[in-house]
């Protein structure tokens, strides 16, 4: 098993005719993902990489039986794109787009939930189940199907750890990037719950960073509900307070959201916390030995 | 983006909040001249440092004055003052007021609640973080509905929670409604009035205003972008931002050039772990092209404290060979006079390393090795 995406995933690409959308649709198809439709308003009737393009998500969903949608549209139009996918009944929506105003996301998140859809992101690299489906912008070849589930707020930092897990021979069941924004659709806890329930996943890696309290909430959840070994890395021990470190959500404000607080909470929950990214794989190897 | 008190007060006044409007001055003389028009019946003005940090009062950044001469003396003392690393370039001279009661009222982006939360306390004038730590029970909180917004009953809950008397309710409710509207209308991530005061003749007045604007709103709101105080922002950070690079200046001596925010933070942490100090946070963004890498090197080298540079690139979609070509090209364009340690992995890493090797540039394999090498290079070993 795996979580969220697999060889049965029928993917719709919103913004497929844009530069990013076209490029990544090609990369995903090459990886073996079933890309069944694309949407760009006003470009219906065309095709990209042999994938039919529609004007609206509802039409695309009806014609292609898509069960997931990935969004590559610019920030100005991305909230509407997420809402369109949710209203069309798409159960899994992945929003790659960054720089969406946070007040927009508060509303979008609530609406998506009311439609019982799951939103991953925004401002995320997407997710992958190695050997089955790549739904995102991550380099596919660094992944290897294996034993560890990975959840992260970051992009390249995730690749770093994925690579280390691959090199250590542990591999991944699925790797999910939940995104670096202060308000996102899916939390660490949501993904931990899925990995805990997934038979194939033997251990879980959590990659967090400064800002907010998602890691602390995850720690409390792990202590109560997760029986599998968890190892973690938290980026930003050296980040100064009050400064946004690239990601909109990576900011220590009012003394809250420090790396120390997160590390302390995770360690108290029995999580092995590494002092640098690649060491997460070593810790996981020990935990699974 | 943080804005100044006087700017936040203007945005709040636009939504109907009674604010204590004054005059902004950049010289002691201009501040002194403002006294007569502002002092009024109280015969008193407050001279307040305009800086993007808290704790102004404790640092001596707020002074009362009773004459034009005193006002200019106060301004003279405050202008140029350093408050937690922020140099004061402007003061706000505002009328003195008669305070009967002080409250705290704020709207915050509440990440844990995934929404906008109203926080209020009858302990005004004190930093809310301090109240939260010492006596959290004194804070009243309600979280607005994400789709319906702040509801009237929620406003009443806040007012009752603060034990506001019935005859004062309507004035208070209008201010809370307007504060919420100010937040939403300007894409804020924080809007607070501290203190919100009640005068002895029962008038509400926002005595100090603070707002933070969501950076992601600024591309659509040139009117808000104009509120940016270019005098106090780091020039390198602004130049980076204009070119799609995230840059934050730090105090160390090892410059960092990294792709991805999480990896950039992890790289800083690794430098510290091996005994060094990072000079900056730098994320070159998605496409680590020659131009971006060249600019990143330039930005890092603008800091004279930099004694070594660590380049850490994980080639994902960005191919390592292209990054290598970019680096070789960048080095021809930018004069790099400090040692550079490069770690280049990921897609086409062998080709990338060969390109660098042919240009006489050696690379290291792991992040730990790279950090150690950079620390050694910076300390001259």
């Amino acid at each position: 098993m795996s979580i969220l995406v697999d060889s049965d995933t029928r993917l719709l690409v919103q913004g497929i005719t844009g530069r990013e959308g076209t490029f990544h649709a090609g990369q995903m198809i090459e990886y073996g993902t079933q890309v069944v439709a694309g949407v760009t308003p006003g470009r219906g009737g065309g095709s990209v990489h042999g994938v039919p393009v529609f004007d609206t998500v509802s039409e695309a969903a009806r014609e292609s039986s898509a069960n997931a949608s990935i969004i590559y549209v610019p920030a100005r139009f991305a909230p509407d794109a997420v809402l369109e996918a949710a209203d069309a009944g798409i159960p899994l929506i992945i929003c790659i787009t960054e720089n969406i105003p946070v007040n927009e996301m508060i509303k979008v998140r609530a609406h998506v939930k009311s439609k019982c859809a799951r939103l991953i992101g925004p401002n995320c690299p997407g997710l992958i189940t190695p050997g089955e489906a790549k739904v995102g912008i991550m380099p596919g070849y660094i992944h290897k199907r294996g034993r560890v589930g990975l959840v992260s707020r970051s992009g390249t930092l995730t690749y770093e750890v994925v690579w280390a897990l691959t090199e250590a021979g542990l591999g991944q069941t699925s790797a999910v990037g939940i995104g670096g924004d202060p308000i996102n659709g899916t939390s660490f806890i949501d993904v931990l719950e899925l990995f805990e329930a997934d038979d194939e996943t033997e251990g879980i890696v959590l990659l967090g960073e400064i800002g907010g309290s998602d890691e602390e909430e995850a720690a409390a959840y792990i202590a109560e509900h997760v029986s599998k070994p968890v190892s973690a890395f938290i980026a930003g021990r050296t980040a100064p307070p009050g400064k946004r470190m690239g990601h909109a959500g990576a900011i220590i404000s009012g003394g809250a959201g420090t790396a120390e607080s997160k590390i302390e909470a995770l360690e108290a929950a029995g999580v092995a916390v590494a002092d640098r990214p690649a060491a997460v794989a070593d810790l996981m190897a020990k935990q699974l030995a | 983006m943080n804005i100044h008190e006087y700017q936040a007060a203007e945005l709040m006044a636009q939504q109907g909040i009674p604010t204590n409007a004054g005059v902004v001055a950049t010289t002691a003389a201009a501040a002194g001249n403002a006294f007569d028009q502002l002092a009024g019946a109280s015969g008193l003005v407050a001279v307040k440092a305009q800086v993007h940090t808290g704790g102004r009062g404790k640092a001596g950044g707020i002074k009362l004055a009773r004459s034009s001469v005193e006002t200019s003396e106060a301004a003279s003392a405050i202008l140029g003052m350093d408050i937690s690393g922020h140099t004061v370039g402007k003061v706000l001279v505002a009328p003195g007021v008669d305070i009967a009661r002080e409250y705290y009222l704020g709207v915050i982006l509440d990440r844990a609640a995934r929404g906008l939360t109203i926080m209020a306390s009858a302990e005004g004038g004190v930093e809310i973080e301090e109240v939260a730590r010492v006596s959290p029970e004194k804070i009243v909180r309600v979280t607005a509905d994400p789709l319906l917004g702040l509801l009237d009953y929620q406003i009443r809950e806040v007012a009752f929670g603060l034990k506001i008397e019935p005859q004062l309710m309507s004035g208070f409710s209008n201010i809370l409604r307007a504060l919420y509207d100010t937040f939403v209308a300007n894409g804020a991530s924080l809007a607070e009035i501290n203190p919100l005061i009640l005068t002895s003749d029962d008038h509400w007045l926002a005595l100090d205003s603070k707002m933070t604007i969501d950076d992601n709103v600024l591309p659509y709101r040139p009117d808000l972008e104009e509120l940016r105080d270019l005098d106090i922002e780091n020039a390198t950070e602004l130049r980076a931002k204009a070119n799609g690079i995230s840059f934050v200046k730090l105090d160390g001596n090892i410059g960092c050039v990294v792709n991805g925010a999480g990896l950039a933070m992890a790289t800083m942490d690794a430098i510290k772990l091996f005994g060094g100090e990072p000079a900056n946070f730098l994320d070159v963004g998605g496409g680590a092209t020659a131009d971006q890498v060249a600019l990143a090197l330039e930005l890092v080298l603008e800091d004279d404290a930099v004694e070594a540079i660590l380049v850490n690139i994980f080639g994902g979609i960005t191919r390592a060979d292209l990054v290598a070509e970019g680096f070789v090209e960048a080095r021809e364009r930018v004069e790099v006079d400090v040692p550079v340690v490069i770690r280049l992995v990921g897609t086409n890493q062998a080709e990338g390393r060969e390109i660098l090797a042919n240009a006489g540039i050696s690379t290291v394999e792991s992040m730990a090795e790279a950090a150690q090498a950079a620390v050694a290079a910076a300390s001259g070993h």
Side-chain angles (χ1 to χ4, degrees):
Chain A
M1 287 281 287
S2 55
I3 66 165
L4 297 167
V5 293
D6 56 28
S7 51
D8 294 328
T9 298
R10 296 175 60 79
L11 188 68
L12 176 85
V13 179
Q14 288 176 255
I16 194 167
T17 59
R19 191 167 52 93
E20 297 279 302
T22 301
F23 176 75
H24 288 292
Q27 296 277 312
M28 292 187 290
I29 292 167
E30 198 175 296
Y31 191 79
T33 310
Q34 285 194 67
V35 177
V36 296
V39 168
T40 298
R43 301 286 290 272
S47 77
V48 172
H49 304 304
V51 174
V53 179
F54 299 87
D55 286 322
T56 67
V57 176
S58 76
E59 189 190 358
R62 201 166 53 234
E63 297 295 323
S64 69
S65 308
N67 55 15
S69 183
I70 186 163
I71 293 171
Y72 291 101
V73 311
R76 185 188 280 268
F77 312 110
D80 183 61
V82 175
L83 297 173
E84 186 183 359
D87 286 351
I90 303 283
L92 179 65
I93 304 161
I94 297 95
C95 185
I96 304 297
T97 310
E98 64 178 320
N99 299 325
I100 297 175
V102 68
N103 289 325
E104 291 287 315
M105 274 319 300
I106 290 172
K107 289 186 275 187
V108 168
R109 182 183 190 280
H111 183 76
V112 168
K113 281 221 175 284
S114 77
K115 294 281 171 180
C116 297
R118 184 191 295 275
L119 170 67
I120 294 179
N123 190 14
C124 78
L127 72 165
I128 185 168
T129 293
E132 296 198 39
K134 168 175 121 87
V135 181
I137 58 173
M138 65 291 282
Y141 77 95
I142 62 171
H143 300 79
K144 184 171 181 291
R145 190 57 174 266
R147 307 158 69 188
V148 180
L150 186 147
V151 59
S152 170
R153 275 170 71 187
S154 177
T156 45
L157 179 59
T158 311
Y159 312 158
E160 179 87 29
V161 175
V162 161
W163 184 295
L165 287 169
T166 297
E167 298 230 301
L170 295 170
Q172 308 84 33
T173 50
S174 297
V176 183
I178 60 172
D181 274 7
I183 302 285
N184 51 19
T186 295
S187 69
F188 278 129
I189 292 176
D190 297 330
V191 182
L192 287 169
E193 189 180 356
L194 295 170
F195 279 135
E196 174 67 12
D198 175 44
D199 291 341
E200 191 186 334
T201 299
E202 295 171 45
I204 304 169
V205 165
L206 181 152
L207 302 178
E209 63 189 28
I210 56 161
S213 56
D214 255 24
E215 289 81 359
E216 285 88 338
E217 288 157 29
Y221 182 85
I222 290 166
E224 281 286 308
H225 304 287
V226 177
S227 63
K228 297 175 182 179
V230 182
S231 64
F233 174 77
I234 303 296
R237 288 182 208 227
T238 47
K243 283 281 191 178
R244 164 176 161 170
M245 306 302 279
H247 290 155
I251 181 164
I252 298 167
S253 46
T258 63
E260 289 70 29
S261 152
K262 294 167 189 299
I263 292 166
E264 200 176 297
L266 288 164
E267 284 181 339
V271 174
V273 182
D275 59 7
R276 57 204 154 81
V280 177
D282 304 336
L283 292 177
M284 186 44 60
K286 279 193 199 116
Q287 285 177 304
L288 291 179
Chain B
M1 178 181 78
N2 290 318
I3 60 174
H4 287 304
E5 172 193 357
Y6 75 90
Q7 296 168 322
E10 279 166 21
L11 294 179
M12 290 181 189
Q14 283 168 17
Q15 300 291 331
I17 295 177
T19 60
N20 193 32
V23 168
V24 179
T26 54
T27 64
N33 289 340
F35 178 84
D36 287 339
Q37 78 175 83
L38 295 169
S42 70
L44 187 71
V45 297
V47 183
K48 304 163 86 178
Q50 299 296 290
V51 279
H52 295 168
T53 183
R56 287 180 305 174
K58 277 183 208 144
I62 301 177
K63 294 182 193 299
L64 297 177
R66 292 170 195 286
S67 69
S68 176
V69 172
E70 270 186 39
T71 305
S72 90
E73 281 170 1
S76 167
I78 294 171
L79 287 166
M81 181 184 270
D82 183 286
I83 302 179
S84 317
H86 299 254
T87 308
V88 183
K90 292 185 176 105
V91 292
L92 172 66
V93 185
V97 287
D98 158 36
I99 301 173
R101 279 192 237 159
E102 297 183 85
Y103 294 88
Y104 168 91
L105 194 59
V107 183
I108 62 159
L109 167 67
D110 187 345
R111 294 169 62 163
R114 271 85 180 164
L116 305 184
T117 292
I118 313 304
M119 290 176 74
S121 154
E123 308 257 308
V126 185
E127 284 201 21
I128 195 70
E129 291 89 359
E130 184 65 19
V131 182
R133 195 164 48 242
V134 179
S135 39
E137 74 286 353
K138 290 186 178 159
I139 298 176
V140 182
R141 287 169 181 262
V142 300
T143 298
D145 184 278
L147 297 173
L148 301 175
L150 181 64
L151 303 171
D152 286 341
Y153 85 85
Q154 295 183 306
I155 293 179
R156 290 197 299 275
E157 276 184 2
V158 175
F160 287 124
L162 294 177
K163 301 191 167 54
I164 286 168
E165 295 83 345
Q167 73 276 16
L168 298 171
M169 277 284 247
S170 116
F172 176 84
S173 301
N174 290 341
I175 287 174
L176 177 46
R177 169 67 64 198
L179 183 63
Y180 182 83
D181 290 345
T182 306
F183 186 108
V184 173
N186 296 290
S189 51
L190 173 82
E192 60 179 27
I193 304 173
N194 188 22
L196 168 67
I197 64 151
L198 191 65
T199 60
S200 45
D201 55 353
D202 280 357
H203 283 98
W204 292 102
L205 190 65
L207 208 54
D208 191 350
S209 309
K210 182 176 172 183
M211 279 180 76
T212 304
I213 309 293
D214 177 2
D215 289 344
N216 291 346
V217 167
L218 297 172
Y220 317 115
R221 290 291 299 272
D223 59 321
L224 295 174
E225 177 63 45
E226 257 178 39
L227 300 180
R228 189 183 293 280
D229 186 345
L230 295 172
D231 294 341
I232 59 167
E233 296 219 12
N234 181 291
T236 308
E237 291 183 10
L238 287 176
R239 199 170 147 219
K241 188 173 176 289
N243 291 281
I245 293 177
S246 297
F247 181 95
V248 177
K249 163 108 179 65
L250 302 170
D251 295 330
N253 61 353
I254 300 174
C256 302
V257 175
V258 189
N259 67 331
L263 192 61
M265 276 187 272
T267 303
M268 285 158 42
D269 296 350
I271 289 169
K272 180 89 173 177
L273 183 68
F274 292 107
E277 290 290 341
N280 63 276
F281 165 92
L282 190 152
D283 171 9
V284 291
T289 60
D291 285 344
Q292 288 296 88
V293 174
L295 179 62
L297 287 172
E298 267 180 43
L299 294 171
V300 167
L301 286 165
E302 275 177 16
D303 181 355
D304 291 336
V306 168
E307 291 180 285
I309 295 176
L310 171 49
V311 179
N312 185 12
I313 303 286
F314 197 108
I317 295 306
T318 306
R319 282 158 43 195
D321 52 333
L322 293 182
V323 176
E325 280 171 12
F327 185 78
V328 171
E329 206 185 309
R331 217 187 41 161
E332 284 162 13
R333 260 191 274 167
V334 187
E335 192 190 335
V336 183
D337 50 3
V338 297
V340 180
V341 178
I342 303 185
R343 182 217 180 208
L344 183 59
V345 291
T347 314
N348 292 4
Q349 61 178 23
E351 291 87 338
R353 286 177 195 174
E354 201 185 318
I355 291 166
L356 291 174
N358 290 341
I361 304 163
S362 62
T363 54
V364 294
E365 189 74 29
S366 75
M367 233 172 104
E369 260 179 277
Q372 281 167 305
V375 171
S379 53
H381 298 309

